[in-house]
Amino acid sequence: MKKKSYSILMGMVLTFSLLLAACSGGSNGGNNNTSPSPSNDTEAKTEETAKPEEPAKPTEITIMLPLNTAETPPDTIKNELEKLTNTKLTYQFFPADTYEEKLNASFATGSLPQVTYLKNQATFVQMKEAIREGQFWEIGPYLAEFPNLSKLKEEILNNTKVDGKLYSVYIGRPLARQGMIYRKDWADKLGLSAPTNVDELYAMMDKFTNGDPDGNGKPDTIGLADRNDLIYGAFKTVAAWFGAPNNWGERDGQLVPDFTTPEYAATMDFIKKIRDAKAMNVDFAATSKTDQVNMFTSGKAGVYIGSMQDVDSLVKDLVKNVPTAVVDTHSMVAGPDGKMASWSIPGYNNVALFPKSAIKDEAELKQILAFFDKLMTPEVANMMYWGIEGTHYTVVDGKAKASADKELTEREVKGFKDSVIGEPETNGMYEGLHELEARIHAEQLIVENEKIAIADPTAPLDSAAYTEKGTELQEIIKDATYKYMYGTIDKAGFDKAVEDWKKRGGAQIIEEYNAAYKN
């Protein structure tokens, strides 16, 4: 019995040994050598230790920027941006009308986020002193590491430098978009053509006010709708037509402020003449842009002077109230000397800065710059500027055709559109396909405007006195300009304000800008 049990046991051991040998041979690809080679041993260990590569953790970025719409946009575009850029984004939108207050309060409390958009060129000037004090990261030395950021236009970057150093990325805009948007149907009815000079422009304002252009037999129309903005309202555009410098100009080899020139005074006289004739909203110094737009879109006013690219939204709302209205754009208006000129911006309308209080080190800064580098790819730039293809726009002949649902695009895309870095030449996004004749005409005029654009010679220059006092001192001139056009002070009163500006620091600004200009 014991022998039989022993034989069965030995047979089981033998069978198990043969199975092990067979398994060992199979792992060697049929090789009879049951000892694994060193290479196979390495492969086995690799298979045991290798793990699937985990996706990179999304970069968390908080962004503060002004909102130019009534409501904060939903997350439709933000969610797509996060997917395209592997980020987790927090957008802090604040109304544009009160943005400067929020910006200043956040700076004072050290609570600015990692990416801080300013409001416009004026707020950039105000922030220069803080930049000089080292409150923001200098990014110039890093741009070469990012292929798309490296495409930003050198001449525009130079206009945003502080003491020769770059701290910001810019939102590009056409150099010279300014002109007039006017009721062509009113002009046709009254036998008027687009004004070729400032005298004809005044005549249009007068007839739009007194010639019953809407045909209702009531004196309920005005020529010009303007607002409380001497820069982006009518004043700067008209001043260029009169031959005034763009903020600063060269006279007898010296840089001088525009408000010290006779052309500036002539512009004030012109606007005063229109106001005295009640051919514009007489309370324009207290009129918001919203109210200015409403005057035009309600059918009350016949001329809007500012960015000609505003024509799309103006027409969209105008035809709801006046379905038969016809609008056109125009910019070629000669001054008293017969010459034409166009006021221009330095190629950008805003910048984004990177506060050191929010970005702890160079590694974090580079992560954020890498995000901006992705923003300058065509796919991402189109998403931010145009929205989602098939929903907010379609592509026709290689251009973006905006959806007919303007309200949807305004609500979901506009907030992000205003923060796109660069321009089509640098970020590769689609140019727009325009169908409105007045907008097509505007784009043609913008090209022509660039040929006669007046540059601001101080755009790339720095003046410590201007950075410190410029905005405060400009209020003196702004106040005096409005008072003169309202007729509450005369030319002697305006000149007195200019002298006050010089005594309180303006003379030093002139001196510093001229020293920088000659270097």
Side-chain angles (χ1 to χ4, degrees), residues 463-477:
S463 159
Y466 185 80
T467 300
E468 180 185 355
K469 306 175 183 178
T471 303
E472 174 190 341
L473 291 178
Q474 193 62 30
E475 288 298 312
I476 298 172
I477 303 304

Side-chain angles (χ1 to χ4, degrees), residues 73 106 134 136 160 209 215 235-236 240 269 278 284 298 368 396 445 449:
S106 298
F136 297 92
T160 68
T209 305
F235 192 85
K236 282 283 188 184
D269 285 333
K278 294 182 171 55
F284 68 97
S298 66
I368 294 169
V396 179
L445 289 168
N449 277 355

Side-chain angles (χ1 to χ4, degrees), residues 67 69-82 89 91 93 388 392 407-416:
L67 181 66
T69 57
E71 298 178 4
T72 299
D75 289 343
T76 310
I77 301 301
K78 181 182 84 79
N79 292 340
E80 295 299 319
L81 288 176
E82 289 178 334
L89 303 173
Y91 276 92
F93 289 101
I388 299 170
H392 304 106
E407 285 76 14
L408 176 68
T409 301
E410 181 87 358
R411 184 171 64 254
E412 296 188 346
V413 183
K414 172 68 172 170
F416 301 93

Side-chain angles (χ1 to χ4, degrees), residues 178-369:
Q178 305 302 103
M180 58 184 285
I181 299 167
Y182 71 99
R183 289 287 297 274
K184 189 175 185 303
D185 54 333
W186 286 9
D188 290 344
K189 179 183 177 182
L190 298 170
L192 300 172
S193 300
T196 62
N197 56 51
V198 289
D199 290 336
E200 291 179 8
L201 176 61
Y202 178 81
M204 174 177 278
M205 307 286 191
D206 178 60
K207 290 191 177 182
F208 277 5
T209 305
N210 301 308
D212 190 24
D214 59 359
N216 67 358
K218 299 176 182 179
D220 57 357
T221 58
I222 57 173
L224 174 67
D226 198 18
R227 66 180 187 266
N228 57 350
D229 188 338
L230 292 177
I231 299 174
Y232 296 103
F235 192 85
K236 282 283 188 184
T237 301
V238 174
W241 292 340
F242 271 87
N246 184 352
N247 298 326
W248 292 74
E250 188 174 332
R251 295 289 190 274
D252 300 322
Q254 295 288 316
L255 289 184
V256 299
D258 58 353
F259 50 81
T260 64
T261 66
E263 294 86 358
Y264 189 98
T267 306
M268 291 194 297
D269 285 333
F270 183 76
I271 301 294
K272 183 178 186 300
K273 181 180 177 182
I274 297 171
R275 183 182 182 275
D276 289 347
K278 294 182 171 55
M280 68 182 297
N281 51 313
V282 295
D283 61 344
F284 68 97
T287 301
S288 67
K289 183 176 181 179
T290 300
D291 290 338
Q292 175 200 24
V293 166
N294 287 340
M295 278 186 278
F296 189 89
T297 59
S298 66
K300 177 178 174 62
V303 177
Y304 172 103
I305 296 178
S307 170
M308 292 183 290
Q309 292 180 330
D310 289 345
V311 70
D312 293 290
S313 58
L314 292 178
V315 169
K316 174 178 69 72
D317 291 331
L318 173 62
V319 296
K320 292 177 183 176
N321 298 310
V322 189
T324 58
V326 179
V327 168
D328 200 359
T329 47
H330 183 65
S331 66
M332 297 295 146
V333 180
D337 60 0
K339 295 179 181 178
M340 293 184 183
S342 178
W343 176 70
S344 67
I345 62 174
Y348 70 97
N349 74 335
N350 200 1
V351 299
L353 292 170
F354 308 94
K356 287 185 177 179
S357 59
I359 301 173
K360 62 181 182 296
D361 54 30
E362 184 183 73
E364 185 179 351
L365 176 65
K366 286 188 176 183
Q367 283 185 315
I368 294 169
L369 291 177

